[in-house]
């Protein structure tokens, strides 16, 4: 119940395309859902986050869609660029703990 | 946000020895966490570093193996004790500012145990 399932494991997208990464969870005690971007040799960087009372949040080219009833959330990267090539992690925080459970990661490659 | 530094950035250690990793933040933060990221894998929370008291460890991690200190609101250390090759990982410090769920990560310490 503490897991966050992430898919796909890897993704190849053409430049200018839309990258979509999905996550699903079971534990209804999760109440904060961030996405992180990690380049090789670097620490994860916070991209965007959402709470379950909001169905969508957009920041620049990055959008989170959240489906509370289905217990699913996804990251959409619009107009994907080669510089977006990185590993992306979704995460979920248990209400009141501030602790994160991370998804397994998606390795994104954007072709020039 | 917060700026986080870790020392060392990488190290190669002999089996059976110990390594202490330092995490320094540029501002006072409420929560500090230590994660492990094995090569090509996701992040796993080791423990929450509590200021002035013992750290809170997650299932599968024990204080004897991963002693943690947090003497003040801007600094913490993680020691990896009696190392084996299975401890080869990236160790990451993260912080959360007061009243927020956002976590900011340091650059990580890449540890190789031979």
């Amino acid at each position: 119940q503490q897991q966050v399932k992430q898919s796909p494991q890897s993704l190849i997208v053409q430049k200018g395309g839309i990258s979509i990464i999905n996550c699903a969870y079971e534990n209804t005690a999760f109440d904060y859902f961030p996405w992180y971007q990690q380049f090789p040799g670097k620490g994860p960087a916070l991209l965007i986050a959402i709470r379950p009372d909001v169905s969508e949040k957009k920041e620049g080219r990055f959008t989170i869609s959240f489906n509370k009833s289905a217990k699913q959330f996804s990251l959409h990267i619009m107009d994907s660029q080669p510089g977006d090539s990185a590993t992306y992690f979704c995460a979920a925080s248990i209400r009141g703990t501030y602790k994160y459970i991370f998804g397994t990661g998606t390795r994104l490659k954007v072709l020039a | 946000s917060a700026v986080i530094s870790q020392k060392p950035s990488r190290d190669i250690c002999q089996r059976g020895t110990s390594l202490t990793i330092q995490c320094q933040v540029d501002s006072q933060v409420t929560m500090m966490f230590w994660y492990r990221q094995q090569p090509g894998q996701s992040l796993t929370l080791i423990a929450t570093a509590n200021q002035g008291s013992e750290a809170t460890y997650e299932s599968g991690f024990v204080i004897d193996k991963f002693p943690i200190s947090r003497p003040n609101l801007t600094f913490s250390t993680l020691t990896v004790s009696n190392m084996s090759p299975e401890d080869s990982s990236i160790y990451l410090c993260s912080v959360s500012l007061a009243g927020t769920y956002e976590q900011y990560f340091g650059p990580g310490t890449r540890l190789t145990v031979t």
Side-chain angles (χ1 to χ4, degrees), chain A residues 3-5 22-28 30 33 52 54-55 65-74:
Chain A
Q3 281 186 316
V4 178
K5 295 180 180 179
N22 302 297
C23 285
Y25 64 98
E26 290 293 326
N27 192 342
T28 57
F30 290 143
F33 303 89
V54 176
S55 61
S65 296
F66 190 88
N67 186 329
K68 187 175 181 178
S69 61
K71 298 179 191 171
Q72 295 175 350
F73 58 108
S74 59

Side-chain angles (χ1 to χ4, degrees), chain B residues 1-4 23-33 49 51 70 72-75 93-99 104:
Chain B
S1 65
V3 177
I4 304 155
C23 177
Q24 179 74 54
V25 190
D26 69 339
S27 57
Q28 293 188 347
V29 294
T30 306
M31 311 288 287
M32 295 183 79
F33 305 92
Q51 194 260 329
R70 188 179 172 190
N72 56 52
L73 292 175
T74 64
F75 185 78
C93 166
S94 77
V95 304
S96 181
L97 303 177
Y104 299 94

Side-chain angles (χ1 to χ4, degrees), chain B residues 53-106:
Chain B
S53 65
E54 193 170 286
T56 305
Y57 290 84
E58 297 301 305
S59 176
F61 298 96
V62 295
I63 187 171
D64 289 347
K65 177 67 176 177
F66 298 101
I68 289 170
S69 77
R70 188 179 172 190
N72 56 52
L73 292 175
T74 64
F75 185 78
S76 178
T77 66
L78 167 74
T79 299
V80 186
S81 303
N82 188 24
M83 289 184 285
S84 68
E86 292 71 35
D87 294 320
S88 297
S89 284
I90 299 170
Y91 292 86
L92 293 149
C93 166
S94 77
V95 304
S96 181
L97 303 177
T100 76
Y101 279 83
E102 297 170 353
Q103 283 189 30
Y104 299 94
F105 283 82

Side-chain angles (χ1 to χ4, degrees), chain A residues 31-32 36 38 42-44 46 51 89 93 96 98-100 102-104, chain B residues 31 33 35 37 41-43 45 48 58 92 100-103 105-107:
Chain A
D31 70 344
Y32 180 77
Y36 283 83
Q38 186 177 32
K42 305 291 186 182
L46 178 64
R51 289 196 176 274
F89 293 96
S93 180
Y98 298 93
K99 298 190 298 187
Y100 285 2
F102 277 86
T104 48
Chain B
M31 311 288 287
F33 305 92
Y35 288 83
Q37 185 176 28
Q41 302 296 313
S42 184
L43 290 82
L45 181 63
T48 303
E58 297 301 305
L92 293 149
T100 76
Y101 279 83
E102 297 170 353
Q103 283 189 30
F105 283 82

